[in-house]
């Protein structure tokens, strides 16, 4: 069965600084990887996903994530953050051919400081 | 626009009372899910359903019940047996449970105890 670890529960950064939110997974087979964003008192929204092909995937609002099979990682990055990026970010994994569906990490709270 | 509608947004429960949270989707998805979210604990799966008239327990099903009489609807009942029901409840759906299918989320219901 798969598992996912988000090591940082909170990440404070200054506005316009770069940020990286870390995600590591564990699985013995090929995986699909997702990042979701949750704004206060709302549900989760899909930010980006890796299914196959290019290991670098991008979102429409400037985030990107790179699938690294050897490191079993799928870290989320943005070169310059804005106040509006303040939110909770969840990494999720599912296995190709697996029966367990999506497994979510515990989330990372991104705090943007002016 | 297709999506998932959860109601009510806020709900209060008295001691010993059962309450039902509504979840409706018009995405024509087969799979639906209920999650509970507590601060710092990420998302925990309560129940899921992959087809009408069938559902399975998740990791924390005790004190909860569900039904799936229609493809579009997956209501969750929080029973009096759930001793700590105060949480944010999220409903989600996907085309299939397995593989590369992302889940789509509603905006949640916040349940509190009077």
């Amino acid at each position: 069965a798969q598992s996912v670890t988000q090591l940082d529960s909170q990440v404070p950064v200054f506005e316009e600084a770069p940020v990286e939110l870390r995600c590591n997974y564990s699985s013995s087979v090929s995986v699909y990887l997702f990042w979701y964003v949750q704004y206060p008192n709302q549900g989760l929204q899909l930010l980006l996903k890796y299914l196959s092909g290019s290991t670098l995937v991008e979102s429409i609002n400037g985030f990107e994530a790179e699938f690294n099979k050897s490191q079993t990682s799928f870290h989320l990055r943005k070169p310059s953050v804005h106040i509006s990026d303040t939110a909770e970010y969840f990494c999720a994994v599912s296995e190709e051919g697996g029966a367990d569906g999506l497994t979510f990490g515990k989330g990372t709270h991104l705090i943007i400081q002016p | 626009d297709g999506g998932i509608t959860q109601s009510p947004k806020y709900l209060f429960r008295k001691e010993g009372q059962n309450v039902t949270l509504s979840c409706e989707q018009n995405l024509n998805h087969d799979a639906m899910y209920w999650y509970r979210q507590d601060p710092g604990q990420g998302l925990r799966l309560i129940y899921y359903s992959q087809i009408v008239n069938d559902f399975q327990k998740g990791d924390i099903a005790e004190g909860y019940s569900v039904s799936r009489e229609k493809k579009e609807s997956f209501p969750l009942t929080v029973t009096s047996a759930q001793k700590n029901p105060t949480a944010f409840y999220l409903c989600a759906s996907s085309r299939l449970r397995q593989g590369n299918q992302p889940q789509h989320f509603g905006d949640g219901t916040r349940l509190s105890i009077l």
Side-chain angles (χ1 to χ4, degrees):
Chain A
Q2 72 267 26
S3 66
V4 60
T5 302
Q6 293 181 247
L7 288 170
D8 306 304
S9 59
Q10 288 191 82
V11 174
V13 295
F14 288 104
E15 195 172 13
E16 299 183 7
V19 69
E20 179 179 81
L21 305 183
R22 296 182 292 170
C23 172
N24 288 90
Y25 69 91
S26 175
S27 173
S28 57
V29 300
S30 296
V31 295
Y32 306 109
L33 293 155
F34 307 83
W35 274 102
Y36 286 83
V37 58
Q38 183 182 34
Y39 299 105
N41 293 312
Q42 294 185 24
L44 278 67
Q45 301 173 35
L46 182 64
L47 190 58
L48 46 76
K49 60 186 177 184
Y50 168 78
L51 303 182
S52 65
S54 173
T55 57
L56 184 65
V57 291
E58 298 176 350
S59 72
I60 58 172
N61 57 354
F63 283 94
E64 64 178 30
E66 186 161 20
F67 170 53
N68 187 320
K69 188 174 181 178
S70 63
Q71 300 287 327
T72 61
S73 68
F74 191 55
H75 301 331
L76 182 69
R77 296 188 291 262
K78 189 171 186 180
S80 175
V81 295
H82 302 280
I83 288 287
S84 59
D85 293 323
T86 297
E88 192 88 16
Y89 291 81
F90 291 92
C91 183
V93 63
S94 66
E95 291 182 331
E96 184 178 346
D100 288 344
L102 273 182
T103 297
F104 289 88
K106 291 189 180 297
T108 297
H109 188 194
L110 178 59
I111 303 168
I112 311 299
Q113 301 167 328
Chain B
D1 277 344
I4 299 179
T5 301
Q6 288 188 243
S7 62
K9 193 167 181 64
Y10 299 96
L11 187 58
F12 298 92
R13 195 191 89 169
K14 295 180 182 178
E15 294 288 341
Q17 186 182 42
N18 294 351
V19 292
T20 297
L21 285 60
S22 171
C23 178
E24 303 277 332
Q25 55 101 356
N26 61 3
L27 298 166
N28 199 33
H29 285 169
D30 286 310
M32 296 187 75
Y33 316 81
W34 275 105
Y35 293 93
R36 171 178 171 141
Q37 188 175 23
D38 297 281
Q41 296 198 45
L43 278 69
R44 292 185 289 169
L45 183 64
I46 305 173
Y47 269 98
Y48 66 93
S49 168
Q50 298 184 86
I51 196 169
V52 173
N53 292 324
D54 186 55
F55 46 83
Q56 306 295 327
K57 293 182 179 180
D59 301 318
I60 56 164
E62 185 174 351
Y64 301 96
S65 66
V66 293
S67 63
R68 186 89 186 275
E69 297 177 2
K70 298 186 301 181
K71 186 175 184 177
E72 301 79 16
S73 179
F74 192 42
L76 173 74
T77 296
V78 184
T79 75
S80 57
Q82 172 49 246
K83 297 307 179 187
N84 183 23
T86 297
F88 191 50
Y89 291 87
L90 288 164
C91 179
S93 72
S94 62
R95 283 185 56 232
L96 297 170
R97 180 165 180 257
Q98 290 83 8
N100 62 4
Q101 302 299 312
Q103 292 181 14
H104 300 254
F105 285 80
D107 279 339
T109 292
R110 189 167 297 281
L111 176 61
S112 303
I113 299 299
L114 284 177

